[in-house]
Amino acid sequence: GAVVSQHPSRVICKSGTSVKIECRSLDFQATTMFWYRQFPKQSLMLMATSNEGSKATYEQGVEKDKFLINHASLTLSTLTVTSAHPEDSSFYICSASRQETQYFGPGTRLLVL
Amino acid sequence: TQLLEQSPQFLSIQEGENLTVYCNSSSVFSSLQWYRQEPGEGPVLLVTVVTGGEVKKLKRLTFQFGDARKDSSLHITAAQPGDTGLYLCAGGPQTGANNLFFGTGTRLTVIP
């Protein structure tokens, strides 16, 4: 199978601080990873597409300076929420693409106080 | 953004009943996937359908892709409490493209 991990699984931070979330493909290489955001009882909303070795592509309405994405290797993409505020509290999920199928990580729950 | 509307949004049924979840769009998709997500976890892929009219069965789950590749349905026979979860359809707009557009979701609760 294709396994994707995320770290941390939960994080609580103070307003104004930055938080980094890691997404790793454990048993395959992924040139493309995706970052999603999910609010309670809602579906997944694509935030950005992360491409190894190049800049991420952000969806409309997603601030690229606030949600920094780095995809430095074929197995790791990171999402940094800068200057987090309470409205950034959400469930963040990444996925890694292999052979046109996306495999999802377990998610990271972020709570900004 | 290509919208995928799922219905019903919420469904609560007794164990043993049958149910159907619908996923509709005005856009054509090269493929359509169904996922199930449990609270606090990421979505888990159930099936991918790629051919218009295609039907796939996974034990008690039957998936169908519409002839025009704009809609899909998921039918569960004799639902069990373990089927409880959020069901999401997701469409791939282009062959070879990696991005997916997710449906609005159907939250299923199966009561023992």
Side-chain angles (χ1 to χ4, degrees):
Chain A
V3 181
V4 177
S5 70
Q6 280 185 241
H7 178 80
S9 57
R10 295 171 180 249
V11 58
I12 301 174
C13 69
K14 292 182 179 180
S15 185
T17 61
S18 294
V19 175
K20 180 184 284 188
I21 303 170
E22 294 185 348
C23 177
R24 294 181 185 272
S25 55
L26 298 184
D27 52 358
F28 67 102
Q29 294 182 330
T31 56
T32 305
M33 291 185 176
F34 301 88
W35 287 97
Y36 295 84
R37 184 172 180 175
Q38 186 177 31
F39 290 106
K41 299 184 179 181
Q42 294 188 23
S43 186
L44 278 69
M45 294 297 296
L46 179 65
M47 298 175 66
T49 302
S50 171
N51 300 296
E52 188 269 336
S54 64
K55 292 183 178 180
T57 304
Y58 289 82
E59 294 299 303
Q60 190 173 8
V62 178
E63 299 176 58
K64 62 180 181 181
D65 294 330
K66 180 167 183 63
F67 298 99
L68 300 179
I69 292 173
N70 184 277
H71 194 156
S73 78
L74 288 172
T75 59
L76 173 64
S77 175
T78 61
L79 168 68
T80 301
V81 183
T82 62
S83 186
H85 288 93
E87 57 265 29
D88 298 323
S89 298
S90 188
F91 193 50
Y92 292 87
I93 307 174
C94 74
S95 70
S97 183
R98 185 179 80 167
Q99 297 177 352
E100 299 183 20
T101 296
Q102 288 191 31
Y103 297 92
F104 286 83
T108 296
R109 185 162 302 283
L110 170 63
L111 176 61
V112 184
L113 301 178
Chain B
T1 301
Q2 294 164 275
L3 295 176
L4 281 163
E5 294 283 341
Q6 285 183 236
S7 62
Q9 187 176 1
F10 298 96
L11 186 57
S12 181
I13 61 171
Q14 294 290 330
E15 181 177 0
E17 293 183 353
N18 302 331
L19 66 113
T20 302
V21 176
Y22 299 93
C23 173
N24 296 296
S25 175
S26 58
S27 302
V28 175
F29 292 96
S30 64
S31 67
L32 199 135
Q33 301 179 353
W34 283 92
Y35 292 84
R36 189 175 84 190
Q37 183 183 24
E38 300 197 18
E41 299 181 11
V44 175
L45 179 66
L46 297 174
V47 77
T48 299
V49 286
V50 297
T51 305
E54 181 178 2
V55 177
K56 280 191 174 179
K57 290 192 175 184
L58 184 67
K59 296 184 180 179
R60 293 178 293 101
L61 279 61
T62 302
F63 304 86
Q64 185 166 8
F65 201 10
D67 291 339
R69 305 206 313 278
K70 293 182 179 182
D71 55 85
S72 181
S73 64
L74 158 61
H75 183 79
I76 301 179
T77 303
Q80 299 178 2
D83 297 327
T84 294
L86 177 65
Y87 288 82
L88 296 162
C89 64
Q94 303 172 36
T95 302
N98 288 308
N99 57 314
L100 290 175
F101 295 98
F102 275 85
T104 47
T106 295
R107 189 165 297 278
L108 171 65
T109 302
V110 181
I111 303 167

